[in-house]
Amino acid sequence: GGSSGSPVIDILGRAIGLNAGSRTRTNTAYFLPLPRVARALGLLRQCCPAEGLVPQRWSTPHLPRGTMQATFTYIGFDEVRRLGVRRETEASVREAVPDATGMLVVDTVIPGGPAAK
């Protein structure tokens, strides 16, 4: 717990997703790609009436689910450096998660899937 909602950053330090949860014992984490988060927010905003934020007047949102079609793996900081992660990015992660020994990186991507874009 505690990291849900935190940004997922790429090798250049850009936010590309949100941490949606994890399982500590298995080093498994779940992420939402930033475009999907923005899409869901847009769909929720469409349900809000323009005249105000009165919840009784909101329509029921329809938020279709999908998949990123990618797998991730956890690797040590020395290896992420060899992959090209900037020192500033590593330092930010180490500051945010002092007990971390590495970072989660994309392992495989389904060609043509959402993660390939």
Side-chain angles (χ1 to χ4, degrees), residues 8-86:
V8 177
I9 54 177
D10 69 6
I11 195 169
L12 300 174
R14 299 174 298 196
I16 60 167
L18 290 179
N19 183 337
S22 63
R23 290 189 173 162
T24 305
R25 289 191 174 122
T26 61
N27 287 331
T28 302
Y30 307 97
F31 298 92
L32 301 172
L34 211 48
R36 297 244 176 139
V37 174
R39 182 178 131 261
L41 182 58
L43 291 169
L44 288 172
R45 285 181 174 161
Q46 289 175 9
C47 297
C48 177
E51 66 270 6
L53 299 175
V54 181
Q56 295 85 354
R57 296 186 184 164
W58 285 31
S59 59
T60 302
H62 174 67
L63 301 174
R65 296 181 59 129
T67 177
M68 196 171 10
Q69 299 179 5
T71 61
F72 298 88
T73 189
Y74 189 85
I75 60 175
F77 284 121
D78 56 341
E79 183 63 22
V80 294
R81 268 186 253 113
R82 283 193 287 273
L83 290 174
V85 170
R86 296 181 329 190

